[in-house]
Amino acid sequence: MNTQLPYYHQIGKEVEVFEHAYKNKIPFLLKGPTGTGKSRFVEFMASKLDKKLITISCHEETSSTDLVGRYIIKGAETIWSDGPLTTAIKQGAIIYLDEIAEARPDVIVAIHSLTDHRRELFIDKLGIIVKAHEDFMLVASFNPGYQKGFKELKPSTRQRFIASSFAYPEEKIEIEILVNEAGIEAGIAKKLVNIATKIRNLTELGLAETVSTRLLVDAAKLIHSGLPKRLSVEVAIVEPLTDDLEVIEALKDLCNLMI
Ligand SMILES: Nc1ncnc2c1ncn2[C@@H]1O[C@H](COP(=O)(O)OP(=O)(O)O)[C@@H](O)[C@H]1O
Ligand SMILES: [Mg+2]
């Protein structure tokens, strides 16, 4: 067993839900904006269940070949090399397809037979079907596109997973996360969380994504290592959010009043 679990503060019932999904080998979809603890949660659960975790960060070039495997040339020979999905299926690992909607459509096609009762993968280049190991589980994350620029996930794909929403935690919990992750005092953590709450409520700014817990953790770490508070907030919270100079100035003024 793993003695040292990654730090994860449970937000709702996601730990129990994941455990039961794992027991029943039902694919699990984590929905939510960036920096809300999705990856940390999967690392935590894999560790808690004592399973190997294989993470793939999907992007628009990610193809089924990248996941399933390919022939590679080695010296005078051409040999087959399993991709991470095939490895996970054979070893009984948990595979985490981060931002699955970004991947090419053939990735979705490739995982279909793995996400239903068949639990098998067809490797077309080898002409074989590989049955998934008993312990294999598929986990994916998806950033719902409230804002343009994010890709959608088709209902026929979504309905192959059970799903859980991730959002910014309530203030008390977020303060605890900052204290734990960065080692700062609760008083400063509270100020950072207040800043985040304020900016999150400024919907009129039309930011593509607002202040995430990740940005707050970064600001807290900079403060903890001795960078002045206002500068830390500026570079870790304000600047990553927007390139609009007027908005930057307005947010800086706002933050300076709060820390
Ligand atoms: N519930 C949580 N428990 C512990 N840390 C968290 C939690 N939520 C967010 N964090 C912190 O925020 C950071 C970003 O979270 P991450 O899991 O990478 O987000 P996502 O995968 O949703 O983009 C983590 O590295 C961690 O410091
Ligand atoms: Mg992530």
Side-chain angles (χ1 to χ4, degrees):
M1 262 307 279
N2 270 303
T3 43
Q4 185 73 39
L5 291 180
Y7 167 68
Y8 178 73
H9 193 304
Q10 177 158 212
I11 307 295
K13 299 265 182 255
E14 67 274 24
V15 174
E16 287 96 311
V17 173
F18 193 102
E19 278 170 343
H20 283 274
Y22 183 74
K23 210 155 78 180
N24 292 284
K25 301 298 156 7
I26 304 173
F28 197 110
L29 181 67
L30 305 106
K31 303 188 290 178
T34 179
T36 46
K38 298 185 296 299
S39 296
R40 179 63 66 87
F41 171 64
V42 178
E43 285 159 26
F44 170 79
M45 289 309 306
S47 212
K48 190 166 190 286
L49 295 165
D50 205 13
K51 290 292 156 224
K52 182 174 171 191
L53 175 67
I54 298 179
T55 297
I56 308 295
S57 298
C58 301
H59 50 81
E60 61 259 18
E61 297 297 319
T62 307
S63 67
S64 64
T65 302
D66 296 327
L67 298 188
V68 174
R70 52 165 53 91
Y71 279 106
I72 53 172
I73 296 170
K74 206 166 188 187
E77 280 179 302
T78 315
I79 56 165
W80 174 259
S81 167
D82 281 343
L85 180 62
T86 308
T87 303
I89 286 165
K90 289 181 177 172
Q91 293 181 349
I94 295 176
I95 191 143
Y96 178 39
L97 302 178
D98 201 358
E99 297 286 357
I100 190 173
E102 296 296 320
R104 289 209 203 156
D106 63 349
V107 166
I108 308 288
V109 175
I111 64 168
H112 260 200
S113 56
L114 277 171
T115 52
D116 55 35
H117 64 280
R118 291 172 284 174
R119 283 176 56 82
E120 62 190 28
L121 178 71
F122 176 58
I123 305 184
D124 58 352
K125 292 198 181 81
L126 297 177
I128 59 166
I129 288 172
V130 183
K131 285 266 175 211
H133 186 288
E134 213 190 351
D135 293 346
F136 169 77
M137 182 182 176
L138 185 94
V139 182
S141 78
F142 166 59
N143 192 338
Y146 322 106
Q147 310 279 345
K148 58 178 186 319
F150 289 106
K151 291 189 192 157
E152 268 305 331
L153 208 52
K154 283 197 296 190
S156 57
T157 305
R158 303 168 64 110
Q159 295 204 12
R160 293 172 169 270
F161 294 82
I162 60 163
S164 206
S165 281
F166 284 68
Y168 309 114
E170 59 175 89
E171 295 194 6
K172 219 177 111 249
I173 294 178
E174 201 162 38
I175 292 169
E176 252 184 81
I177 292 173
L178 297 190
V179 169
N180 260 289
E181 284 285 287
I184 53 166
E185 294 163 37
I188 300 175
K190 186 167 174 19
K191 286 184 180 170
L192 290 173
V193 171
N194 285 344
I195 287 176
T197 307
K198 186 88 187 172
I199 298 177
R200 286 169 189 164
N201 288 328
L202 294 176
T203 45
E204 65 271 23
L205 291 182
L207 300 170
E209 289 220 347
T210 187
V211 188
S212 66
T213 306
R214 178 187 291 124
L215 292 185
L216 290 184
V217 170
D218 291 344
K221 284 180 177 165
L222 295 178
I223 291 171
H224 184 69
S225 78
L227 197 69
K229 292 191 196 82
R230 289 181 175 179
L231 180 57
S232 302
V233 167
E234 180 188 326
V235 297
I237 299 179
V238 177
E239 290 281 355
L241 286 183
T242 176
D243 302 316
D244 182 322
L245 295 178
E246 274 175 34
V247 177
I248 289 176
E249 281 313 310
L251 287 179
K252 265 166 61 180
D253 290 344
L254 176 82
C255 293
N256 287 345
L257 290 173
M258 298 183 73
I259 197 156

